[in-house]
Amino acid sequence: MDVQGFTTAVVEFVRANQFWGPIIVGLLAFGESVVVLSFFVPAVGILLALGALAGAAGGVSFWPLWTGVVIGAAVGNMVSWWVGTHYGDTFLQWKPIRERPEIVQKTREAFQKYGAFAIFIGRFFGPLHGTIATVAAIGKMNPTVFHICNWLSAMVWAGAILYGGMVGGDTARRLLGG
């Protein structure tokens, strides 16, 4: 099944089984936020599509989805932080990371330029999303500052991604006369 087919299947499942919506978006956001795993989880498109379901005509409640995304994204980055704390610089030798040195370099540059705000910035840039917490831990970022930035950025990102989907879905419905 291709990414578009998978996205359609997930969206239709959530439409028919709304109870599972927060759990599914939480798992997707978790996968999107865990180092290395984020390279393989096509979560953003699915989260945008599920955000469209939360639009006026979608019939899915926004806040439970938002809560699921926040928890999944924040816990995913906490796992990534643990990887950086536990493995340190040896993490940089892992094959998926070794094959993408530009991601680690861009992440380090973001920290040099923006400090703790890099956690927020990294949340919105796919390649940095999964590595930002690990590199922060390797760089010995203050854990309290990291966790505050992690949870706040997860809240902002969840709102932005789901609301972006809502706006896009509502616009498409209006343009298509639905």
Side-chain angles (χ1 to χ4, degrees):
M1 179 182 299
D2 64 350
V3 174
Q4 185 175 359
F6 181 70
T7 300
T8 301
V10 170
V11 169
E12 290 307 316
F13 179 82
V14 171
R15 183 189 319 266
N17 304 281
Q18 292 185 32
F19 169 81
W20 289 100
I23 296 164
I24 290 170
V25 297
L27 290 171
L28 288 167
F30 177 83
E32 178 79 18
S33 301
V34 173
V35 67
V36 180
L37 187 57
S38 64
F39 298 152
F40 307 104
V41 176
V44 172
I46 298 170
L47 292 172
L48 284 167
L50 290 170
L53 276 183
V60 175
S61 180
F62 175 84
W63 292 109
L65 293 180
W66 178 84
T67 302
V69 172
V70 169
I71 292 170
V75 171
N77 266 4
M78 289 168 66
V79 168
S80 296
W81 172 269
W82 177 86
V83 168
T85 302
H86 187 74
Y87 292 101
D89 285 329
T90 60
F91 158 78
L92 302 175
Q93 300 309 311
W94 292 8
K95 186 176 180 182
I97 299 302
R98 214 177 43 237
E99 292 175 349
R100 295 176 175 91
E102 72 283 354
I103 293 173
V104 173
Q105 182 59 34
K106 287 180 183 180
T107 303
R108 286 184 169 160
E109 289 170 4
F111 276 114
Q112 288 173 349
K113 189 170 183 178
Y114 301 108
F117 193 64
I119 300 296
F120 280 87
I121 295 167
R123 181 80 69 187
F124 287 87
F125 290 96
L128 304 182
H129 193 114
T131 59
I132 197 91
T134 306
V135 172
I138 292 170
K140 308 290 188 223
M141 182 179 197
N142 178 300
T144 302
V145 172
F146 166 76
H147 291 296
I148 290 169
C149 291
N150 177 37
W151 282 94
L152 291 175
S153 68
M155 291 177 202
V156 172
W157 182 71
I161 199 114
L162 293 172
Y163 187 71
M166 285 175 60
V167 169
D170 286 344
T171 302
R173 279 189 284 280
R174 287 186 184 130
L175 290 173
L176 299 173

